[in-house]
Amino acid sequence: MGTVKFKEVKKEIENLSTNLSSEDAQHIFNDIIFKKKVNEGLKDSEAGRLTNWEDFKDEIKEWYKLK
């Protein structure tokens, strides 16, 4: 994401944050991170860089523990 888009997204989040609970904000953040991880995994798969399914499940379990 370019700096301009990042600043635009940050501004939108700041504008919305007055109406969001910290729990809602955390859910949004977690959804964004999860989607990013899935998209990165799909790109790796398309490029022939595959991750062992068991390793992937372990990584996701660890990530969910941190939520």
Side-chain angles (χ1 to χ4, degrees):
M1 177 184 289
T3 303
V4 174
K5 286 186 179 182
F6 178 79
K7 288 180 181 178
E8 291 171 7
V9 170
K10 184 176 183 240
K11 180 77 171 166
E12 288 296 321
I13 291 170
E14 288 171 350
N15 290 340
L16 291 172
S17 66
T18 57
N19 297 325
L20 290 175
S21 70
S22 60
E23 186 176 317
D24 289 338
Q26 187 63 48
H27 284 295
I28 292 168
F29 178 75
N30 289 340
D31 288 345
I32 291 168
I33 295 297
F34 185 75
K35 183 175 181 180
K36 183 176 181 346
K37 286 186 173 286
V38 168
N39 286 335
E40 288 172 353
L42 291 172
K43 286 179 186 175
D44 284 346
S45 177
E46 288 175 2
R49 296 182 302 268
L50 301 177
T51 301
N52 179 293
W53 175 244
E54 295 302 320
D55 292 343
F56 175 77
K57 288 193 304 186
D58 290 342
E59 181 180 343
I60 294 299
K61 284 179 190 174
E62 286 299 314
W63 183 76
Y64 270 112
K65 285 180 188 175
L66 298 175
K67 278 180 45 163

PDB file of all heavy atoms in Angstrom, residues 33-50:
ATOM      1  N   ILE A  33      -5.779  -8.372   9.046  1.00  0.00           N
ATOM      2  CA  ILE A  33      -4.556  -9.176   9.125  1.00  0.00           C
ATOM      3  C   ILE A  33      -4.809 -10.575   8.573  1.00  0.00           C
ATOM      4  O   ILE A  33      -3.995 -11.115   7.811  1.00  0.00           O
ATOM      5  CB  ILE A  33      -4.039  -9.253  10.578  1.00  0.00           C
ATOM      6  CG1 ILE A  33      -3.607  -7.877  11.081  1.00  0.00           C
ATOM      7  CG2 ILE A  33      -2.894 -10.263  10.699  1.00  0.00           C
ATOM      8  CD1 ILE A  33      -2.453  -7.259  10.312  1.00  0.00           C
ATOM      9  N   PHE A  34      -5.948 -11.181   8.933  1.00  0.00           N
ATOM     10  CA  PHE A  34      -6.256 -12.525   8.451  1.00  0.00           C
ATOM     11  C   PHE A  34      -6.369 -12.535   6.927  1.00  0.00           C
ATOM     12  O   PHE A  34      -5.807 -13.393   6.253  1.00  0.00           O
ATOM     13  CB  PHE A  34      -7.544 -13.034   9.097  1.00  0.00           C
ATOM     14  CG  PHE A  34      -7.848 -14.459   8.734  1.00  0.00           C
ATOM     15  CD1 PHE A  34      -7.136 -15.498   9.300  1.00  0.00           C
ATOM     16  CD2 PHE A  34      -8.845 -14.749   7.823  1.00  0.00           C
ATOM     17  CE1 PHE A  34      -7.405 -16.814   8.967  1.00  0.00           C
ATOM     18  CE2 PHE A  34      -9.126 -16.060   7.480  1.00  0.00           C
ATOM     19  CZ  PHE A  34      -8.405 -17.100   8.053  1.00  0.00           C
ATOM     20  N   LYS A  35      -7.079 -11.549   6.382  1.00  0.00           N
ATOM     21  CA  LYS A  35      -7.226 -11.474   4.923  1.00  0.00           C
ATOM     22  C   LYS A  35      -5.867 -11.295   4.259  1.00  0.00           C
ATOM     23  O   LYS A  35      -5.582 -11.923   3.231  1.00  0.00           O
ATOM     24  CB  LYS A  35      -8.157 -10.323   4.546  1.00  0.00           C
ATOM     25  CG  LYS A  35      -8.410 -10.232   3.072  1.00  0.00           C
ATOM     26  CD  LYS A  35      -9.417  -9.163   2.732  1.00  0.00           C
ATOM     27  CE  LYS A  35      -9.656  -9.117   1.239  1.00  0.00           C
ATOM     28  NZ  LYS A  35     -10.616  -8.116   0.851  1.00  0.00           N
ATOM     29  N   LYS A  36      -5.006 -10.463   4.843  1.00  0.00           N
ATOM     30  CA  LYS A  36      -3.667 -10.253   4.295  1.00  0.00           C
ATOM     31  C   LYS A  36      -2.872 -11.556   4.292  1.00  0.00           C
ATOM     32  O   LYS A  36      -2.219 -11.895   3.305  1.00  0.00           O
ATOM     33  CB  LYS A  36      -2.935  -9.186   5.098  1.00  0.00           C
ATOM     34  CG  LYS A  36      -1.561  -8.836   4.563  1.00  0.00           C
ATOM     35  CD  LYS A  36      -0.970  -7.700   5.364  1.00  0.00           C
ATOM     36  CE  LYS A  36       0.377  -7.214   4.957  1.00  0.00           C
ATOM     37  NZ  LYS A  36       1.184  -7.953   4.094  1.00  0.00           N
ATOM     38  N   LYS A  37      -2.947 -12.330   5.379  1.00  0.00           N
ATOM     39  CA  LYS A  37      -2.223 -13.600   5.456  1.00  0.00           C
ATOM     40  C   LYS A  37      -2.740 -14.591   4.415  1.00  0.00           C
ATOM     41  O   LYS A  37      -1.966 -15.290   3.778  1.00  0.00           O
ATOM     42  CB  LYS A  37      -2.334 -14.198   6.857  1.00  0.00           C
ATOM     43  CG  LYS A  37      -1.479 -13.495   7.895  1.00  0.00           C
ATOM     44  CD  LYS A  37      -1.531 -14.228   9.218  1.00  0.00           C
ATOM     45  CE  LYS A  37      -0.559 -13.649  10.191  1.00  0.00           C
ATOM     46  NZ  LYS A  37       0.819 -13.991   9.901  1.00  0.00           N
ATOM     47  N   VAL A  38      -4.039 -14.636   4.241  1.00  0.00           N
ATOM     48  CA  VAL A  38      -4.621 -15.535   3.235  1.00  0.00           C
ATOM     49  C   VAL A  38      -4.172 -15.115   1.837  1.00  0.00           C
ATOM     50  O   VAL A  38      -3.751 -15.955   1.029  1.00  0.00           O
ATOM     51  CB  VAL A  38      -6.162 -15.562   3.336  1.00  0.00           C
ATOM     52  CG1 VAL A  38      -6.781 -16.255   2.133  1.00  0.00           C
ATOM     53  CG2 VAL A  38      -6.592 -16.247   4.625  1.00  0.00           C
ATOM     54  N   ASN A  39      -4.227 -13.831   1.532  1.00  0.00           N
ATOM     55  CA  ASN A  39      -3.815 -13.352   0.212  1.00  0.00           C
ATOM     56  C   ASN A  39      -2.343 -13.631  -0.044  1.00  0.00           C
ATOM     57  O   ASN A  39      -1.964 -14.024  -1.151  1.00  0.00           O
ATOM     58  CB  ASN A  39      -4.112 -11.858   0.052  1.00  0.00           C
ATOM     59  CG  ASN A  39      -5.584 -11.596  -0.146  1.00  0.00           C
ATOM     60  OD1 ASN A  39      -6.318 -12.452  -0.613  1.00  0.00           O
ATOM     61  ND2 ASN A  39      -6.023 -10.408   0.220  1.00  0.00           N
ATOM     62  N   GLU A  40      -1.498 -13.443   0.975  1.00  0.00           N
ATOM     63  CA  GLU A  40      -0.075 -13.747   0.819  1.00  0.00           C
ATOM     64  C   GLU A  40       0.121 -15.237   0.553  1.00  0.00           C
ATOM     65  O   GLU A  40       0.948 -15.621  -0.273  1.00  0.00           O
ATOM     66  CB  GLU A  40       0.707 -13.322   2.063  1.00  0.00           C
ATOM     67  CG  GLU A  40       0.858 -11.824   2.195  1.00  0.00           C
ATOM     68  CD  GLU A  40       1.467 -11.406   3.517  1.00  0.00           C
ATOM     69  OE1 GLU A  40       1.668 -12.266   4.408  1.00  0.00           O
ATOM     70  OE2 GLU A  40       1.750 -10.205   3.676  1.00  0.00           O
ATOM     71  N   GLY A  41      -0.640 -16.071   1.263  1.00  0.00           N
ATOM     72  CA  GLY A  41      -0.552 -17.512   1.060  1.00  0.00           C
ATOM     73  C   GLY A  41      -0.971 -17.917  -0.343  1.00  0.00           C
ATOM     74  O   GLY A  41      -0.345 -18.782  -0.960  1.00  0.00           O
ATOM     75  N   LEU A  42      -2.014 -17.278  -0.866  1.00  0.00           N
ATOM     76  CA  LEU A  42      -2.461 -17.572  -2.230  1.00  0.00           C
ATOM     77  C   LEU A  42      -1.406 -17.160  -3.260  1.00  0.00           C
ATOM     78  O   LEU A  42      -1.149 -17.883  -4.222  1.00  0.00           O
ATOM     79  CB  LEU A  42      -3.791 -16.879  -2.515  1.00  0.00           C
ATOM     80  CG  LEU A  42      -4.995 -17.416  -1.743  1.00  0.00           C
ATOM     81  CD1 LEU A  42      -6.203 -16.517  -1.974  1.00  0.00           C
ATOM     82  CD2 LEU A  42      -5.303 -18.854  -2.134  1.00  0.00           C
ATOM     83  N   LYS A  43      -0.787 -16.006  -3.038  1.00  0.00           N
ATOM     84  CA  LYS A  43       0.273 -15.561  -3.950  1.00  0.00           C
ATOM     85  C   LYS A  43       1.454 -16.529  -3.908  1.00  0.00           C
ATOM     86  O   LYS A  43       2.030 -16.862  -4.944  1.00  0.00           O
ATOM     87  CB  LYS A  43       0.740 -14.153  -3.585  1.00  0.00           C
ATOM     88  CG  LYS A  43      -0.240 -13.075  -3.964  1.00  0.00           C
ATOM     89  CD  LYS A  43       0.263 -11.712  -3.547  1.00  0.00           C
ATOM     90  CE  LYS A  43      -0.784 -10.646  -3.788  1.00  0.00           C
ATOM     91  NZ  LYS A  43      -0.358  -9.336  -3.284  1.00  0.00           N
ATOM     92  N   ASP A  44       1.828 -16.970  -2.706  1.00  0.00           N
ATOM     93  CA  ASP A  44       2.921 -17.937  -2.583  1.00  0.00           C
ATOM     94  C   ASP A  44       2.577 -19.236  -3.302  1.00  0.00           C
ATOM     95  O   ASP A  44       3.410 -19.830  -3.978  1.00  0.00           O
ATOM     96  CB  ASP A  44       3.223 -18.234  -1.106  1.00  0.00           C
ATOM     97  CG  ASP A  44       3.989 -17.115  -0.423  1.00  0.00           C
ATOM     98  OD1 ASP A  44       4.519 -16.232  -1.138  1.00  0.00           O
ATOM     99  OD2 ASP A  44       4.057 -17.125   0.822  1.00  0.00           O
ATOM    100  N   SER A  45       1.342 -19.664  -3.153  1.00  0.00           N
ATOM    101  CA  SER A  45       0.902 -20.899  -3.799  1.00  0.00           C
ATOM    102  C   SER A  45       0.966 -20.777  -5.315  1.00  0.00           C
ATOM    103  O   SER A  45       1.457 -21.678  -5.999  1.00  0.00           O
ATOM    104  CB  SER A  45      -0.528 -21.230  -3.355  1.00  0.00           C
ATOM    105  OG  SER A  45      -1.004 -22.366  -4.017  1.00  0.00           O
ATOM    106  N   GLU A  46       0.487 -19.656  -5.846  1.00  0.00           N
ATOM    107  CA  GLU A  46       0.528 -19.428  -7.290  1.00  0.00           C
ATOM    108  C   GLU A  46       1.956 -19.385  -7.807  1.00  0.00           C
ATOM    109  O   GLU A  46       2.230 -19.777  -8.932  1.00  0.00           O
ATOM    110  CB  GLU A  46      -0.204 -18.132  -7.640  1.00  0.00           C
ATOM    111  CG  GLU A  46      -1.707 -18.229  -7.497  1.00  0.00           C
ATOM    112  CD  GLU A  46      -2.411 -16.903  -7.718  1.00  0.00           C
ATOM    113  OE1 GLU A  46      -1.738 -15.890  -8.023  1.00  0.00           O
ATOM    114  OE2 GLU A  46      -3.640 -16.882  -7.582  1.00  0.00           O
ATOM    115  N   ALA A  47       2.878 -18.924  -6.971  1.00  0.00           N
ATOM    116  CA  ALA A  47       4.285 -18.820  -7.371  1.00  0.00           C
ATOM    117  C   ALA A  47       5.035 -20.132  -7.145  1.00  0.00           C
ATOM    118  O   ALA A  47       6.232 -20.212  -7.394  1.00  0.00           O
ATOM    119  CB  ALA A  47       4.962 -17.689  -6.604  1.00  0.00           C
ATOM    120  N   GLY A  48       4.324 -21.147  -6.652  1.00  0.00           N
ATOM    121  CA  GLY A  48       4.954 -22.441  -6.441  1.00  0.00           C
ATOM    122  C   GLY A  48       5.626 -22.588  -5.092  1.00  0.00           C
ATOM    123  O   GLY A  48       6.288 -23.582  -4.831  1.00  0.00           O
ATOM    124  N   ARG A  49       5.472 -21.584  -4.224  1.00  0.00           N
ATOM    125  CA  ARG A  49       6.042 -21.663  -2.880  1.00  0.00           C
ATOM    126  C   ARG A  49       4.940 -22.165  -1.952  1.00  0.00           C
ATOM    127  O   ARG A  49       4.091 -21.393  -1.514  1.00  0.00           O
ATOM    128  CB  ARG A  49       6.541 -20.296  -2.423  1.00  0.00           C
ATOM    129  CG  ARG A  49       7.689 -19.760  -3.257  1.00  0.00           C
ATOM    130  CD  ARG A  49       8.191 -18.426  -2.739  1.00  0.00           C
ATOM    131  NE  ARG A  49       7.168 -17.404  -2.691  1.00  0.00           N
ATOM    132  CZ  ARG A  49       6.914 -16.542  -3.688  1.00  0.00           C
ATOM    133  NH1 ARG A  49       7.610 -16.601  -4.796  1.00  0.00           N
ATOM    134  NH2 ARG A  49       5.968 -15.632  -3.576  1.00  0.00           N
ATOM    135  N   LEU A  50       4.957 -23.437  -1.665  1.00  0.00           N
ATOM    136  CA  LEU A  50       3.898 -24.048  -0.875  1.00  0.00           C
ATOM    137  C   LEU A  50       4.341 -24.270   0.563  1.00  0.00           C
ATOM    138  O   LEU A  50       5.493 -24.587   0.830  1.00  0.00           O
ATOM    139  CB  LEU A  50       3.468 -25.374  -1.500  1.00  0.00           C
ATOM    140  CG  LEU A  50       2.954 -25.270  -2.930  1.00  0.00           C
ATOM    141  CD1 LEU A  50       2.629 -26.652  -3.473  1.00  0.00           C
ATOM    142  CD2 LEU A  50       1.727 -24.380  -3.000  1.00  0.00           C
TER     143      LEU A  50
END
